[in-house]
Amino acid sequence: MQIVLKAENITVKFGGVIAVNNISLSLEHGKILGLIGPNGAGKSTLFNAITGFAPMSAGKVTIFDEDITSQPAYIRTRLGMGRTFQTERPYEELTVLENVLVAAFLNHSKKNDAEKISLKVLEKVGLLDRANQLSSDLNLARLRRLELAKALALEPKILFLDEIMAGLNPPALKEMINLIQGLTSTGISIVMVEHIMEAIIQLSDHVIVLASGNKIAEGSAIDVINDSQVIDAYLGTD
Ligand code: ADP
Ligand code: MG
């Protein structure tokens, strides 16, 4: 099995606060790694460190056997990392298509190429019929799919999804779960922060649980949700 991503002993400090404490993880080709834990556990910060959006105090990040620890975010993007942000950030005055084009232009300078990719990913996420609508007119479910489309327009080999399903109603959730499942069959490997256990259980090949910056458990979804330490820290006795 090919390891596409390896993060070793990642630590991120904000002043005196250790947001991420000595965390290691690895991701296999075509697999989904779920990252769960209570609010403030350090999940988004770990994402930011791995994708180059937050400075690490210590640690090493390798993708496809290349050490990228000192590479800026845009180089990591070029090497195959794509991500969504927990708070979706569309350019509200741009159309859906234009929003995706902005991402596509990061790796393609020719307008034709960028357009071709953008239309392809809009079709994939089911937003092609909304291409010329302003992104400010989208509902939450469609905004989330736009966020996914922007990440896919980077043609990532490794995709990082930060709570892309939060707040979705059951039909929209089911759609998103199917969509993400389908991505792995196209060879994309995924790291996913998610609170919705249904999604974690259905999608994750492996789960890591963070609490207060520390890794408190890891294993299959079923193993970790039955772990007493995880139940205490996160899930509650219900
Ligand atoms: P999660 O995504 O698991 O909810 P975060 O990674 O957002 O957690 O936050 C982890 C910890 O780091 C929290 O205590 C948070 O307040 C702190 N933190 C996150 N980002 C910053 C920042 N830019 N500056 C200072 N502290 C931060
Ligand atoms: Mg977060």
Side-chain angles (χ1 to χ4, degrees):
M1 234 339 140
Q2 190 200 358
I3 302 285
V4 294
L5 166 71
K6 215 160 129 183
E8 295 168 83
N9 308 103
I10 308 289
T11 295
V12 183
K13 293 180 190 165
F14 295 112
V17 178
I18 302 177
V20 171
N21 187 18
N22 196 30
I23 302 294
S24 299
L25 59 82
S26 66
L27 176 65
E28 288 177 11
H29 176 76
K31 301 285 185 189
I32 299 181
L33 172 66
L35 201 54
I36 66 174
N39 283 327
K43 306 180 298 294
S44 293
T45 303
L46 179 58
F47 258 44
N48 291 341
I50 293 174
T51 52
F53 286 83
M56 304 191 299
S57 314
K60 180 177 170 187
V61 183
T62 311
I63 59 173
F64 307 106
D65 293 325
E66 184 171 347
D67 183 347
I68 56 156
T69 310
S70 52
Q71 300 289 6
Y74 80 93
I75 298 285
R76 298 184 196 209
T77 302
R78 259 181 218 164
L79 292 172
M81 286 182 160
R83 66 167 296 171
T84 65
F85 288 88
Q86 184 170 354
T87 314
E88 54 277 334
R89 308 170 168 179
Y91 299 105
E92 296 197 332
E93 287 153 44
L94 298 187
T95 66
V96 168
L97 175 59
E98 287 164 344
N99 265 281
V100 180
L101 275 171
V102 170
F105 272 125
L106 285 175
N107 288 336
H108 293 277
S109 51
K110 290 208 178 101
K111 188 164 179 244
N112 265 350
D113 294 343
E115 254 170 15
K116 224 165 108 184
I117 286 157
S118 300
L119 292 170
K120 203 174 98 190
V121 300
L122 283 177
E123 182 171 22
K124 184 171 262 180
V125 305
L127 284 179
L128 197 53
D129 58 336
R130 308 270 164 179
N132 297 317
Q133 201 171 323
L134 284 179
S135 66
S136 54
D137 292 339
L138 296 182
N139 66 16
L140 180 72
R142 293 197 182 98
L143 268 179
R144 289 289 162 68
R145 282 189 271 140
L146 174 58
E147 190 65 19
L148 180 61
K150 285 160 59 186
L152 290 175
L154 303 169
E155 301 170 283
K157 301 186 186 96
I158 308 169
L159 181 62
F160 295 80
L161 304 173
D162 197 353
E163 297 200 33
I164 194 151
M165 304 189 211
L168 296 184
N169 63 28
L173 177 62
K174 195 158 174 253
E175 246 175 3
M176 189 59 98
I177 289 174
N178 289 338
L179 191 52
I180 290 167
Q181 187 79 67
L183 295 177
T184 57
S185 62
T186 66
I188 298 178
S189 315
I190 297 174
V191 188
M192 179 176 79
V193 169
E194 199 49 72
H195 278 300
I196 299 172
M197 282 303 152
E198 185 189 341
I200 287 288
I201 290 167
Q202 283 194 46
L203 291 171
S204 305
D205 296 292
H206 191 78
V207 177
I208 288 177
V209 189
L210 296 186
S212 306
N214 296 298
K215 188 193 280 184
I216 60 166
E218 79 175 294
S220 70
I222 298 302
D223 284 348
V224 300
I225 62 173
N226 288 311
D227 183 302
S228 61
Q229 222 186 332
V230 175
I231 293 168
D232 288 346
Y234 183 31
L235 296 169
T237 46
D238 296 344

